[in-house]
Each structure stands twice: as structure tokens, then as C-alpha cells.
Amino acid sequence: MKLHLDEIRDFVTTNGLSFTEGLLKLSSYEVDFKEQNASRSMIKAAAFPFVKELKDYDFEFQPSVSKDKIYSIVESNFYDEATNIVFVGNPGTGKTHLAIAIAYAVAIKRNCVYFIKFNKLISILKNAYNEGTFDRKVKQFFKYKLLIIDEVGFNEISPLESKLFFQLIDMRYTKRSTIFTSNITFDKWSQILGNDEMITKAILDRILHYSYLFNITGQSYRIKDKIKPLQTEDS
């Protein structure tokens, strides 16, 4: 308000506004400032490894991803409806980019969002279990309105760790939204979840029951610039 005081005083004098109207306009600057600060705080607390927005995603390079569907999800209140989003595809196809872009759009609306790699999440849950603080830790992960679990499948976990993971998924089921990215198709998830078919089925049932599923079948972003010269030479 202090920064805009002279500006508003001149505006009131020039336009003949009342004191109340000038104070209202001045207050709006303060409200906007606090909202921007709150959004920045939420983005910082989300612990994104990088910030990407949907406008940065090359939907033409990945035609298997519906641009209209992704944007409709972002514009919806999926996170209030506890709907999950799952991205499955080969490495480099933009799964993490999309997950962060969607989560970023949720965070700037001042919602509690958190990003974590699957292997780090499992390590935290296992350590908490060993230290006798598992219940407190799993409740901490439950509180996030939107949780992003990235790279499910890069590391195999034990039967015990699978059960701990199930407890988190079960707690969030129908109450909180989670975004998952994975390079492993669902028929192989049991191989990474302690080879426990029952736990795997229970986890997948809860993840997929209320969810948007995207199977990205395109090529890797990381090598697209190298592919084009090869295609030109071949042609």
C-alpha cells in the first residue's frame, strides 16, 4: 500500500474519487500482493525440481497426448474431487513435464502441492517405519491436496516397502489427488512392488479407480533434435 500511496492520491485528485473509493483501490494492491506471495510460497513448498508450464510442452511432438484433455483437466477442480492422474510412457516422453505443469497450475491457486521421486518416498516411509514414526509421516504426505510421485518403476522395492506404499495410497484414496509417472506398464508393476500380486492389485485398484490415464507412446524429447537430422539424411 505504501508503494502505491502517491499513485492513488494523484489518481483520486485527478478523477475526483472519494476517499473510500481511493482506499478500496489502494487495498486492492495489498490483496494482490498477498495473493502473489501466497502463490510463490506454495510453489516453493512444492519442491519442484524445475518449473514447467503447459505452454512449454510440445504436443505436436507427442500426438498421443490430447492437448484439449490436458487443458480441460487443468481448468477443472480434479484435485477437489480426489481424482488421480497417471502418465505411463518411455523415458524422455515428457511425463514429468506434464505432471509438474499440472501441479504448478494447482499450486498457483494457493493449494498445498508436493513433488517427490518414488525411490525417495519409499526411503522416507521405510526410515519412518524403522524409527516408529510411520503413522506421523504418512499423515504428513496425506495432507497435500495434490501429491506428485515421479518415476514409479525405476527401482524395485521389497514386500514390506510395498505394504508401506499401499498404506499411503489407501489413505489418500477418494480423499486426495495424486499424479503418478511411470515407465513401466501396469502388468509389470508387481515386479517392482515386491513381486506381491495382491498388494499390487490393491494399489492399482485405488490408483486407477478415479483417474485420468495417459499412455504416451511417442519418442524421447531428449533426442528429438538428433532424430531430425538423421531423418533428413535418410530422405
Side-chain angles (χ1 to χ4, degrees):
M1 292 176 74
K2 183 179 179 181
L3 289 174
H4 294 277
L5 186 58
D6 291 340
E7 172 195 335
I8 296 300
R9 182 181 59 204
D10 294 341
F11 186 83
V12 168
T13 302
T14 303
N15 293 275
L17 297 181
S18 67
F19 172 79
T20 303
E21 290 170 323
L23 184 60
L24 179 61
K25 189 170 181 63
L26 189 62
S27 298
S28 69
Y29 280 113
E30 183 70 17
V31 171
D32 290 343
F33 178 76
K34 288 186 179 297
E35 288 182 346
Q36 290 169 11
N37 267 354
S39 295
R40 283 193 290 267
S41 296
M42 287 298 181
I43 292 168
K44 184 177 181 180
F48 296 131
F50 53 82
V51 173
K52 290 288 187 180
E53 297 184 58
L54 285 181
K55 62 183 178 63
D56 303 316
Y57 189 83
D58 189 351
F59 285 93
E60 292 184 2
F61 186 75
Q62 300 292 13
S64 62
V65 182
S66 170
K67 180 178 180 179
D68 291 341
K69 184 63 175 178
I70 293 292
Y71 272 88
S72 70
I73 290 172
V74 169
E75 293 165 3
S76 73
N77 59 342
F78 76 94
Y79 48 90
D80 287 325
E81 297 173 346
T83 302
N84 297 326
I85 303 173
V86 186
F87 293 106
V88 178
N90 291 328
T93 50
K95 302 183 299 296
T96 302
H97 181 152
L98 287 169
I100 289 176
I102 293 171
Y104 175 84
V106 174
I108 61 175
K109 296 177 184 176
R110 295 182 293 166
N111 292 295
C112 196
V113 172
Y114 192 70
F115 176 98
I116 191 168
K117 297 285 187 182
F118 176 69
N119 63 329
K120 183 178 180 180
L121 171 66
I122 297 303
S123 177
I124 290 172
L125 294 179
K126 178 68 174 298
N127 288 338
Y129 174 81
N130 290 334
E131 294 168 2
T133 60
F134 177 77
D135 288 344
R136 187 171 70 217
K137 183 59 66 175
V138 80
K139 287 176 182 176
Q140 178 184 328
F141 283 112
F142 170 79
K143 73 178 183 180
Y144 298 113
K145 178 161 282 190
L146 178 61
L147 179 65
I148 306 92
I149 303 177
D150 191 40
E151 295 184 347
V152 177
F154 273 92
N155 300 87
E156 296 179 5
I157 62 177
S158 69
L160 171 61
E161 291 167 335
S162 297
K163 289 179 173 65
L164 299 179
F165 182 54
F166 166 77
Q167 290 186 56
L168 172 61
I169 299 303
D170 186 54
M171 182 178 285
R172 292 181 63 85
Y173 175 57
T174 71
K175 298 179 181 67
R176 296 284 190 272
S177 289
T178 308
I179 299 179
F180 302 85
T181 75
S182 179
N183 65 325
I184 303 295
T185 54
F186 298 129
D187 61 314
K188 297 179 180 177
W189 271 42
S190 64
Q191 298 174 17
I192 62 169
L193 297 178
N195 286 307
D196 190 323
E197 295 284 351
M198 185 175 295
I199 282 292
T200 301
K201 184 178 185 302
I203 289 172
L204 285 175
D205 280 351
R206 286 159 177 76
I207 289 175
L208 299 176
H209 187 195
Y210 298 107
S211 68
Y212 296 107
L213 174 60
F214 294 90
N215 184 23
I216 308 177
T217 58
Q219 296 175 316
S220 171
Y221 269 112
R222 301 186 184 104
I223 62 173
K224 71 174 182 176
D225 292 330
K226 296 181 180 179
I227 292 174
K228 288 179 181 179
L230 290 175
Q231 291 175 337
T232 302
E233 291 174 7
D234 293 340
S235 62

